[in-house]
Amino acid sequence: MVKLNTQKIINGIENSFLKTDLPILKIGDNVKVGVKIIEGNKERVQFYEGTIIAKKNSLINTTITVRKIFQGIGIERIFLIHSPKIDSIQVLRSSKVRRSKLYYLRKLKGKASRLKQTFS
């Protein structure tokens, strides 16, 4: 009985921190994520642009893994989308995919790693 009440309290607190202005994110979307960077006493927004290759849903702990190619090297970064450090998420393009995780893109290079774009 006590465990049930504490879970309700925890869920209530977590729900107050959830962001409501997020776009619908799908696997294969090309996104632009604005991350707040603090340098000394200044704060700025740095954008990270890439393809969502994985998504993990668990309320406040929802994460997306974004992959981009920089100077021929693949870079992946995991973002906690409800984090206060995430300023904005913008969907640039959507792609047609048939997998829930696109880890196979790690092995592909160049034109082979492109995804078929959907127009909607």
Side-chain angles (χ1 to χ4, degrees), residues 32-47:
K32 189 175 186 181
V33 182
V35 183
K36 292 180 186 173
I37 305 285
I38 299 171
E39 296 172 336
N41 56 359
K42 294 181 183 177
E43 184 177 299
R44 65 182 178 88
V45 177
Q46 180 175 349
F47 291 100

Side-chain angles (χ1 to χ4, degrees), residues 27-81:
I27 306 299
D29 285 354
N30 200 332
V31 293
K32 189 175 186 181
V33 182
V35 183
K36 292 180 186 173
I37 305 285
I38 299 171
E39 296 172 336
N41 56 359
K42 294 181 183 177
E43 184 177 299
R44 65 182 178 88
V45 177
Q46 180 175 349
F47 291 100
Y48 189 91
E49 187 175 331
T51 305
I52 297 177
I53 63 166
K55 185 176 177 187
K56 188 188 105 192
N57 291 314
S58 60
L59 266 178
I60 197 150
N61 294 322
T62 302
T63 62
I64 56 172
T65 304
V66 180
R67 179 177 176 83
K68 75 175 184 178
I69 306 296
F70 183 71
Q71 296 181 351
I73 298 171
I75 301 169
E76 292 181 9
R77 191 162 171 192
I78 300 172
F79 293 103
L80 198 62
I81 65 171

Side-chain angles (χ1 to χ4, degrees), residues 65-117:
T65 304
V66 180
R67 179 177 176 83
K68 75 175 184 178
I69 306 296
F70 183 71
Q71 296 181 351
I73 298 171
I75 301 169
E76 292 181 9
R77 191 162 171 192
I78 300 172
F79 293 103
L80 198 62
I81 65 171
H82 294 290
S83 169
K85 290 205 176 256
I86 302 297
D87 184 55
S88 63
I89 299 176
Q90 181 182 11
V91 177
L92 303 175
R93 285 193 295 273
S94 292
S95 299
K96 179 185 175 189
V97 293
R98 298 176 67 178
R99 301 275 181 271
S100 61
K101 309 284 190 215
L102 301 181
Y103 296 141
Y104 69 90
L105 290 177
R106 294 172 176 166
K107 298 175 188 170
L108 303 178
K109 293 179 182 174
K111 287 186 178 181
S113 66
R114 290 187 301 182
L115 299 172
K116 184 165 267 195
Q117 188 173 348

